[in-house]
Amino acid sequence: MKVALLGLFVQEIAAVIKPFGLPAYRASQLVNWIYKQHVTDFSAMINLPKSMRTLLAEHFTVREYELQTVWQSGDGKTSKYLLRFPDQSAVETVLMRQSYGNSVCVSTQVGCAMGCIFCASTLQGMTRNLTCGEIMAQVLHIESLLAQEGQKVDSIVIMGMGEPLANYENVVKFIRLCHEEYGLHLSYRSITLSTSGLVPEIERLAQEGLPITLSISLHAANDTSRSTLMPVNKRYPIAGLLAAGDRYAAQTGRRVTYEYTLIAERNDRVSDAKELAKLLRGRLANVNLIPVNPVPERGLLRPGAEAIKRFEQTLLAHNINVTVRREMGADIQAACGQLRKKHLENH
C-alpha cells in the first residue's frame, strides 16, 4: 500500500523516504511541491531526477480524492465541494468569499456521531475520522483553485461535518501543519475550531500552545433545554463546559465564542436571551447568533427577523458582545451535511 505524503511534516517525509536512499533535503523539495505548488503528480516535480520521480510514484502518493460535486451560490460568494476518497467516503468543504478574505470550512469526520437535532451531518451517523492529510486535501483543493485567480486561503474554520475534538490527534496535527512556513503559513489566529463541547479535549487543547479561536456550541442557557438539542450535554453539562471555556480563555488569552442557533419557539424568546446573558456575564466571551438552517427531517423553523433582532438587542442591553452570523450559501444548502446527504440519497 502506498504512503500518502500529504498530511506529513517535512521531518516525517524525510523519515519515510530515507529507507529508499533519498537524502533529507529532498523532503524540503517535496513539501514545496505539495503544499506550495499544489502538485499531485511526481512526474511534474521537475527539480527531482527522473529516476527518483519514478521511485516515488511506485511507493508514495500525494493526495487521493475525486471532486464529486460543486455547488455555487447565486451571488458567487459561496462554493461547496463534495470530495470523495478511495474508500467512497464523501465529505463537504465550503469556500466563503468574505470582505476580509477567503475562508474555508473543513470537515474532520465522515458524518457525525454527536446527534444534535438541528444538524444534517448527524442524520446518517458517523463513518470514520479523517486523516490529517484528508483534512488538508480539502484546503489545498480550494487553495489551488484560488491560486488561479491570484488569491489564497486567508482563514480556516474547522466546523464542517464531524466533531473536531473527537478526532483530536489528526485535527491538532492539521492545525500545526497549516501554521508551518512550508505549509499554508497561516497565523493560528486565522484558525477557528468549533466543538459541541467535549470538556476533557477542550482542557487538553488549552495546553497545546495554539492560540486559535475556540467556538463552543451552546444553543441553550440551561441543561434541560440544551440536552433536548444536544445529547452531549448529558455527559458534559453547561456548568463544566463554561468552566472549561473560562480556562481556555485564561490560558490562551483568546476570547471564546459561544454559538447559539436560534430555533423558532424553542430557544428564541426574550426570556432565553436574558438567561443566556446571565450565564455569560463577566466572561471573556462573545455570542454568535445563528438562525437555524431548516433541515426538513428535523421540523425546526427559523425565527422571523423581528425575533432575531429582539434576541440580539436583549443581549446587547445586558452588555454581552454579540454578532448575528451573516447567512452565506443558503441557496446551495451550505449548512453542514446537506450536500453529502443529498448525494447519499441519489446513490
Side-chain angles (χ1 to χ4, degrees), residues 196-199 202 216-218 226 236-245 258:
S196 61
L198 303 187
V199 169
I202 293 173
I216 296 176
S217 296
L218 192 58
R226 189 169 188 263
Y236 302 117
I238 290 174
L241 178 59
L242 292 182
Y258 288 95

Side-chain angles (χ1 to χ4, degrees), residues 11 23 46 61 67 77 92 98 117 148 182 198 231 325:
Q11 307 94 309
I46 54 176
T61 63
L67 178 61
K77 293 181 178 179
E92 301 172 12
Q98 313 266 19
I117 71 166
Q148 297 170 21
Y182 59 78
L198 303 187
R325 182 177 294 178

Side-chain angles (χ1 to χ4, degrees), residues 10 20 23 27 62 70 78 83 92 95-96 113 117 119 125 144 148 153-154 166 180 184 187 219 254 288 303 324 327:
V10 66
F20 298 92
V62 176
V70 184
T78 307
L83 306 183
E92 301 172 12
L95 166 63
M96 295 162 285
I117 71 166
C119 182
S144 63
Q148 297 170 21
V153 172
D154 298 294
E180 289 287 349
L184 294 176
S187 162
H219 309 313
R254 304 302 311 278
N288 187 12
V324 178
E327 196 166 34

Side-chain angles (χ1 to χ4, degrees), residues 220-230 233-234 238 266:
N222 62 72
D223 286 324
T224 301
S225 179
R226 189 169 188 263
S227 292
T228 64
L229 298 174
M230 305 179 69
N233 192 72
K234 295 167 186 171
I238 290 174
R266 290 291 291 264

Side-chain angles (χ1 to χ4, degrees), residues 25-153:
Y25 76 88
R26 294 297 187 188
S28 297
Q29 294 175 310
L30 285 167
V31 294
N32 181 65
W33 283 113
I34 294 168
Y35 296 116
K36 295 295 187 187
Q37 306 300 322
H38 315 124
V39 169
T40 60
D41 187 344
F42 292 112
S43 66
M45 299 181 181
I46 54 176
N47 62 347
L48 303 178
K50 189 173 181 181
S51 59
M52 185 181 297
R53 286 180 262 165
T54 302
L55 177 71
L56 288 167
E58 287 174 0
H59 299 280
F60 301 96
T61 63
V62 176
R63 60 182 192 257
E64 293 184 304
Y65 66 83
E66 290 180 14
L67 178 61
Q68 195 71 35
T69 311
V70 184
W71 284 5
Q72 305 280 2
S73 65
D75 61 9
K77 293 181 178 179
T78 307
S79 306
K80 190 164 193 176
Y81 306 88
L82 189 70
L83 306 183
R84 190 179 70 188
F85 298 110
D87 68 351
Q88 305 306 306
S89 296
V91 299
E92 301 172 12
T93 307
V94 181
L95 166 63
M96 295 162 285
R97 298 173 186 267
Q98 313 266 19
S99 58
Y100 52 81
N102 297 307
S103 184
V104 176
C105 180
V106 298
S107 296
T108 55
Q109 296 180 312
V110 182
C112 185
M114 302 314 294
C116 303
I117 71 166
F118 46 80
C119 182
S121 292
T122 196
L123 287 169
Q124 280 85 19
M126 204 274 279
T127 305
R128 66 174 177 86
N129 286 330
L130 295 180
T131 65
C132 173
E134 288 169 334
I135 304 170
M136 183 62 83
Q138 298 170 59
V139 181
L140 289 187
H141 178 79
I142 292 175
E143 177 91 337
S144 63
L145 296 176
L146 289 172
Q148 297 170 21
E149 306 171 22
Q151 299 184 49
K152 62 183 178 64
V153 172

